[in-house]
Amino acid sequence: MSAGDGDQDFLAEALPAFVSEAREQCDALEQLLLELEAAPDDRDLLDALFRCAHTVKGSAGIFGLERVVGFTHHVETLLDKVREGQLALTPELGTLLLRCNDAIRELVATTSDAGAAQVDAAVLGELVAALQAAAAAPQAGSATPVSNAAQPAAGLRRWHLWAEFGADTFRNGLDPLAVLNYVQGQGTIARVQLDVEAIPPLAQLDPESCHLALELILDSAATRQEIESAFSFVREDCALHIVEPGASVADHIALIRALPQSPRLGDILVSVGAITRAQLTQALQLQAQAQDRGELPRLGEILHEQSGLSPRVVAAALEKQSSRREAAAGPGDEHRFIRVQADRLDAVINLLGELVTAGAGAALLARETRQGALIEANDQIGRLIEEIRAGTLQLRMVPIGEAFSRFRRVVRDTASELGKEVTLEIVGGETELDKSMVERIADPLMHLVRNALDHGLEPAAERLASGKPAMGHLTLSAAHEAGSVTIRIRDDGRGIRRDKVLERAWDRGLLARGVVPPDAELHKLIFEPGFSTAEKVTNLSGRGVGMDVVRRNIESLRGSVAIESSEGRGSTIEIRLPLTLALIDGFLVAVGPSKFIFPLDAVVEVIEGQASAMAEDASGRGTFELRGRLLPVVNLRCLYGLESPPPARGSIVVLQAGGRRFGVLVDTLLGQHQTVIKPLGRMFRSLRGMAGSSILGNGEIALIFDAASLGQMTVELPDRTAQAVRPVSPVEAAKPAPALNSEGRV
């Protein structure tokens, strides 16, 4: 195989990694643009924005993706002007850049997916023309002079030079000192500043290598060409920067970036001639006096007021200062991360599940042998498996803020389409959730956010008429609660109209005419198939398609969804999800020969030997007096028709889920159990109250309860259920849940 073939094979293997990284950069670019709408002058955000585009362009060039490189180059050019303060990031420019980012994402997609639709050349041409027109706009402040240092002697001008000699300067027979003597002959060197940080420690110093880097302030009547001629013999071994008198802001910024990292802001500004040492001393004195008065002014602000120093020059100096801190801190976080393919991690999780099952079987056999040493060894293995389990599952945990951040663009575009003013607040984005869960909850969240924008939040005129601010408020929040994750979508809109929901439910036969259930039951009707209270069908909603699918998709994740609403004040949709879909800590019980598992985080307490004190009806539902309060209890034997004689002394397991507390009557308590969750077969998917199954150490099958669903069954009474909500037929219940597309529709 030729070297060229080897390069092609390498590029083909590395292309998926480029596509993945490019998509991440596009996501980051989009989020930065949205954040900059609130802070358009934030230098850190502008720099990060430019780096995203530059990274995509550079990586695409390695793979010869000319369309990506060519288009991104125009975006990069515009972003550079914005970063340097030559263009203002207006809302119109932000919209253009968001459209360009979408085009980059589509161009990247075509490189990896042969079936992906090609990006229309006319669309790209239109965007390129818009980018060029924006970049050609008048440059703000490009010729603004910067306050110079103290004036040199009459007839002389002050030049600032930065020279960094190459490591091979000595080996090439060149003498930097001779060059400096020649420069001194052209005028007076007012100051020389050596970059001592460029010199390595003595133990690592190579005496044959040159480590000389210095800054010069030269007062001279010479021209730029004459000064440059002093370095003519060393130009190939010297990086030279010259800033002439009356230089522009851009010239000083370029020199600041070429300077060594300085620990102090003032020293950087003095070095490039942006201010004099006297101006710096005066500014520091003013800052100290203000601090004595309890104020905290920034040095850059004082210099701007006292000497007219450009804020852009201050920002460049701060960037240089921060880069020194980052270098001193050592390798960044990016050096502590590695990329792992998701399928490899999934394979490890599956093997871990098998290991947990095998470990439980080995522990069971060890107990049967009654050999102390063997039991102790298996206990040690069990503890190690538990640590491996916790650590491995942590690898798949990601902040849910990654999913939330996608909705900034959705809210911006949808609100614009609807003619509404909406601000999005994200709370608890650091809350961690299983990556597979985050991916599967994205589409239901998309549908709920769009519904809140379309149905919940009112137009500005309607809000003002009702005494509300013109701008609506939408909040996405997440938090850990009782071993699960709670996600809330809250808006301050019009809320749910009870009269409309009731009328539609009566018309569709979901409720008997005249029956008015409690709010909690009424709100559940919104999740019924085909249910909608919209007056007209829009591009976003009104067809009654989606909310039932949202509920099914959330329940397929062993989660639950509920609605709270106050008419005229807004609504909150609450989603509860388990932390992971792979393994959980469970509490094992038995009813006759059948084994069941409750999620351990839902177990509140256990009441042993008190089953006889429970009053129950023929359906298996009853109550138990617990510390002066009636606790609803369900008998699993009656609920699922288990054919086994009841024990003389049963126990009640008290669970809490979905905001309610209830009890479950069981025969035997078998204790805590590490549970590997397996999906239920097609035959059992319609079985209410179940979330999955697990294989025990002895090979038996145990069903895993969905605590929230079981709690709902516990408090439901047959007569109320028949009146309030139309029963679901076994055929409907057995139908698989349809998937949601990217717009949250079926």
Side-chain angles (χ1 to χ4, degrees), residues 433-472:
L433 192 61
D434 191 298
K435 181 174 177 61
S436 62
M437 192 90 72
V438 171
E439 293 171 350
R440 293 172 63 179
I441 198 62
D443 282 343
L445 283 178
M446 178 75 73
H447 188 89
L448 294 174
V449 168
R450 286 176 178 268
N451 265 11
L453 293 169
D454 192 18
H455 289 303
L457 292 168
E458 315 95 325
E462 184 179 335
R463 291 179 63 86
L464 290 173
S466 60
K468 295 181 180 180
M471 181 170 289

Side-chain angles (χ1 to χ4, degrees), residues 678-687 690-693 702-704:
K678 302 288 185 181
L680 290 170
R682 181 177 296 274
M683 182 182 299
F684 300 100
R685 285 180 184 171
S686 61
L687 191 62
M690 296 299 171
S693 61
L703 295 177
I704 304 171

Side-chain angles (χ1 to χ4, degrees), residues 346-358 440 556 558 580-584 597 673-682 684-685 690-696 699-705:
D346 291 340
V348 171
I349 297 293
N350 290 335
L351 289 174
L352 175 63
E354 299 300 328
L355 180 62
V356 169
T357 302
R440 293 172 63 179
S556 72
R558 305 199 323 273
T580 179
L581 295 175
L583 294 94
I584 62 169
I597 295 174
H673 186 271
Q674 290 186 37
T675 304
V676 182
I677 301 174
K678 302 288 185 181
L680 290 170
R682 181 177 296 274
F684 300 100
R685 285 180 184 171
M690 296 299 171
S693 61
S694 183
I695 302 175
L696 303 179
E700 289 187 63
I701 303 295
L703 295 177
I704 304 171
F705 280 113

Side-chain angles (χ1 to χ4, degrees), residues 5-18:
D5 293 338
D7 292 342
Q8 292 299 320
D9 291 342
F10 169 77
L11 291 177
E13 293 176 1
L15 184 60
F18 157 74

Side-chain angles (χ1 to χ4, degrees), residues 192-264:
V192 177
Q193 179 68 44
L194 179 67
D195 179 16
V196 295
E197 294 185 5
I199 304 174
L202 185 61
Q204 303 174 12
L205 183 66
D206 181 5
E208 296 183 358
S209 297
C210 180
H211 305 287
L212 183 62
L214 47 84
E215 179 236 346
L216 294 172
I217 297 180
L218 175 67
D219 294 338
S220 173
T223 64
R224 184 186 184 95
Q225 184 176 1
E226 291 172 341
I227 295 174
E228 286 182 344
S229 66
F231 296 85
S232 58
F233 291 103
V234 294
R235 284 313 301 264
E236 293 183 0
D237 293 280
C238 178
L240 178 65
H241 297 273
I242 301 177
V243 176
E244 54 189 296
S248 68
V249 169
D251 293 329
H252 282 91
I253 291 175
L255 183 56
I256 287 175
R257 291 175 178 169
L259 288 175
Q261 287 95 350
S262 174
R264 290 177 292 192

